[in-house]
């Protein structure tokens, strides 16, 4: 505004030398140059002056908007590294049967990683299984079983193992990102089968006299025969879960009445190859996994690229090893005193009952339905976590050097701070450009024209006040406001000349005399 007022000063001084103006206009010019409201002016001048003063505030507001830091987002399309079950001809990594799985454990600040997760995260597997069903919300959350600090909202389906284990391409502060990954859509179905011959019996006391051994044996629903020895002071705490195919049988000791809801249960898992989209909130450290229904354009991520060996029940090697790991959970956690697996299953059955009571499960489900639903969701939780463990081991242990990783399409959104809003920047730039052009135009007109020593309209007003011949700008004195004045210079002396017509009377001030005729 300083430049504009200076330009207006120059313009008015030049105009005052070439033509006469009324005293009202002169007063208005002076207020304009100072951007000050003068209420002594007539109404039409006061209104226009008020509007101009208000408009003079606009550039300051635009500058504030152009210089104020504002938040911004940036979208980056790139690639994200995910686990890949590539060729493993020497059978050192994923391409092994459960019995011969590499027992090596990779421990780092990110967690413990192994192709035999029961050895490393058994307690965490059971903890998540015990809370697989949310008792008071519609979607359960559970932590990712490493040290990255991420939490899943809903099921993981074994997706997202590399989140937190690798960097994400970004600019600014990462807010969230999504990527695609292939995996298993696993669904577990459980039912009671009281006719299957799968039971727990005490082992006859041998010559060593050790009485605390029990045998879980028999045929499960698919006809497979299973048997395993278990320790126990009695059979009150015996819970056996066996099955190496995609089907398991659960049996308890005859005296284990508190586990009656899980006794003689059969469960079967069905695996479907599926492409998923993982949405990661980097601020809240949350991961949400959803199946991608139409993934015909994602052939590079199809499970066929994960070279696998076919096993019975049309299962590949990963699924086969997963089923074996489920059986190892019960064997590795069993003890003389209590059954950690039985406690986890019963805890989640309690969660399903609470969920129904809170209105998150249909009221039509009876006690048996709720119990079977609780067992199934616990098994699904363990399946998801074991798949995550397999993928994490492949990503960390096999890594790039051994075909353990592959790129996946990524969309990342980052936040940053930028100076000013683009709309304000453009607006103030246009205004500044117009001011520069106006300044150049006025400067070109002023070449060779003297201001006669008058640099400010305040000087003009001062001339009017000399020798008590000034106009007091009485707003009620409309006649005097019509008096016209102009500047005149002679012999280096600047004079304010009064001239013009008022009520058809010609008024001319004689130069230097102060007389009016």
């Amino acid at each position: 505004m300083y430049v504009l007022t200076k330009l207006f000063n120059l313009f008015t001084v030049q105009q005052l030398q070439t033509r006469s103006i009324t005293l009202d206009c002169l007063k208005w010019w002076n207020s304009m140059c100072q951007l000050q409201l003068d209420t002594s002016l007539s109404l039409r001048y006061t209104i226009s002056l008020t509007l101009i003063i208000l408009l003079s505030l606009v550039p300051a507001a635009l500058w504030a908007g152009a210089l104020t830091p504002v938040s911004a987002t940036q979208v980056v399309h790139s690639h994200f590294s995910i686990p890949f079950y590539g060729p493993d001809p020497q059978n050192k990594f994923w391409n092994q049967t459960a019995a011969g799985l590499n027992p090596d454990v990779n421990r780092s600040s990110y967690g413990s990683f192994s192709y035999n997760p029961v050895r490393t995260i058994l307690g965490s597997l059971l903890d998540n299984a015990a809370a697989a069903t949310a008792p008071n919300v519609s979607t359960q959350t559970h932590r990712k079983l490493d040290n990255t600090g991420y939490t899943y909202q809903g099921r993981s389906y074994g997706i997202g193992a590399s989140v937190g284990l690798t960097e994400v391409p970004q600019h600014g502060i990462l807010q969230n990102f999504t990527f695609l990954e292939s995996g298993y859509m696993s669904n577990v179905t459980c039912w009671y089968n009281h006719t299957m011959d799968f039971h727990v019996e005490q082992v006859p006391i041998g010559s060593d006299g050790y009485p605390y051994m029990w045998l879980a044996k028999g045929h499960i629903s698919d006809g497979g025969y299973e048997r395993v020895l278990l320790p126990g002071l009695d059979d009150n705490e015996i819970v056996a879960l066996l099955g190496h195919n995609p089907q398991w049988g659960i049996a308890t000791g005859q005296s284990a009445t508190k586990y009656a809801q899980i006794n003689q249960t059969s469960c079967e898992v069905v695996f479907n190859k599926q492409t998923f989209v993982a949405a990661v909130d980097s601020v809240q450290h949350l991961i949400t996994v959803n199946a991608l229904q139409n993934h015909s354009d994602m052939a590079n991520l199809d499970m066929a690229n994960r070279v696998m060996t076919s096993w019975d029940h049309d299962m590949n090697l990963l699924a086969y090893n997963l089923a074996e790991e489920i059986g190892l959970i019960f064997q590795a956690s069993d003890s003389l005193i209590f059954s950690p697996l039985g406690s986890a299953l019963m805890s989640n059955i309690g969660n399903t009952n609470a969920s129904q009571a809170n209105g998150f499960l249909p009221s039509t489900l009876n006690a048996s339905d709720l119990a079977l639903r609780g067992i199934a969701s616990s098994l699904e939780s363990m399946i998801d976590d074991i798949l995550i463990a397999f993928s994490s081991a492949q990503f960390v242990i096999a890594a790039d050097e051994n075909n353990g990783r592959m790129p996946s399409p990524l969309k990342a959104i980052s936040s940053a701070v930028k100076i000013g809003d683009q709309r304000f920047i453009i607006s103030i730039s246009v205004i500044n450009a117009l001011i520069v052009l106006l300044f150049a135009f006025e400067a070109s007109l002023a070449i060779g024209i003297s201001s006669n020593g008058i640099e400010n309209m305040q000087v003009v007003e001062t001339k009017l006040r000399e020798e008590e011949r000034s106009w007091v700008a009485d707003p009620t004195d409309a006649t005097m406001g019509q008096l016209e004045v102009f500047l005149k210079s002679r012999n280096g002396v600047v004079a304010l000349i009064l001239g013009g017509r008022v009520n058809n009377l010609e008024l001319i001030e004689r130069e230097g005399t102060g007389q009016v005729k």
Side-chain angles (χ1 to χ4, degrees), residues 118-147:
V118 172
R119 293 173 178 262
T120 56
I121 56 172
L122 174 60
S124 298
L125 289 171
L126 291 172
D127 285 343
N128 279 354
T133 301
N136 51 9
V137 292
S138 58
T139 302
Q140 180 65 301
T141 61
H142 55 95
R143 76 179 187 91
K144 189 168 179 273
L145 300 184
D146 52 28
N147 297 334

Side-chain angles (χ1 to χ4, degrees), residues 98-110:
L101 279 177
N102 186 347
D104 293 341
V105 178
N106 181 295
R107 291 186 173 89
S108 68
S109 59
Y110 292 111

Side-chain angles (χ1 to χ4, degrees), residues 34-95:
Q34 302 178 64
L35 290 177
Q36 291 182 352
L37 187 63
D38 189 343
T39 56
S40 65
L41 291 170
S42 60
L43 181 61
R44 67 188 182 98
Y45 284 112
T46 300
I47 292 175
S48 61
L49 181 61
T50 302
L51 292 176
I52 292 172
I53 291 175
L54 291 176
L55 288 175
S56 70
L57 301 176
V58 173
L62 293 177
W63 271 113
L67 297 177
T68 301
V70 295
S71 60
T73 59
Q74 185 172 13
V75 179
V76 176
H77 293 275
S78 184
H79 289 88
F80 183 65
S81 187
I82 62 173
F84 175 62
Y85 296 89
D88 181 18
Q90 297 181 350
N91 301 335
K92 288 186 176 181
F93 305 103
W94 68 270
N95 194 22

Side-chain angles (χ1 to χ4, degrees), residues 258-449:
K258 69 177 181 179
Y259 298 125
Q261 287 180 293
I262 62 177
N263 189 29
Q264 299 299 294
T265 301
S266 290
C267 295
E268 183 174 39
V269 60
V270 175
F271 294 105
N272 292 306
K273 297 172 183 179
Q274 180 72 52
T275 298
F276 297 87
V277 56
V280 183
D281 185 333
S282 300
V283 178
Q284 301 294 329
H285 279 64
L286 294 175
I287 306 173
T288 305
V289 179
N290 291 296
L292 190 63
Q293 299 301 324
N294 183 11
H295 57 281
S296 57
D297 58 335
M298 297 308 302
N300 63 313
L301 294 180
D302 191 87
M303 289 293 292
N305 282 342
R306 298 182 172 189
V307 182
M308 298 181 182
T309 305
S310 178
W311 282 71
D312 45 3
H313 285 266
D314 197 28
M315 295 175 63
N316 57 43
L317 186 56
L318 278 186
Y320 177 85
N321 287 339
L322 185 148
E324 291 291 308
E325 289 288 308
I326 294 292
L328 289 175
I329 288 177
F330 127 76
Q331 296 180 57
S333 65
D334 197 52
S335 71
L336 282 170
I337 307 302
F338 72 102
S339 171
L341 175 63
S343 297
L345 296 178
M346 292 303 299
S347 176
N348 197 49
I349 290 174
N351 288 339
T352 58
N353 282 278
S355 181
Q356 185 191 55
N358 290 326
F360 296 104
L361 289 177
S363 58
T364 55
L365 297 178
N366 57 36
S368 296
D369 295 332
L370 293 173
L372 293 172
R373 191 184 187 103
I375 296 170
S377 62
S378 289
L379 288 172
E380 288 174 344
S381 171
M382 290 187 280
I383 289 170
D384 291 349
D385 286 340
I386 292 172
L387 286 174
I388 286 282
F390 285 161
S391 295
S392 298
Q394 185 70 3
F395 190 84
V396 173
I397 299 175
D400 287 319
E401 297 80 5
N402 297 283
N403 303 313
R405 300 180 181 181
M406 69 176 290
S408 172
L410 168 79
K411 178 183 178 182
I413 299 178
S414 301
S415 67
V417 176
K418 68 176 183 179
I419 302 300
D421 185 280
Q422 186 176 12
R423 297 168 298 175
F424 293 113
I425 294 174
I426 293 175
S427 300
I428 198 63
S429 298
V430 171
I431 290 176
N432 287 339
L434 293 175
I435 290 175
V436 170
L437 293 175
L438 180 62
F439 180 81
F441 176 74
E442 287 294 331
S444 66
L445 295 179
I447 296 176
I449 299 178

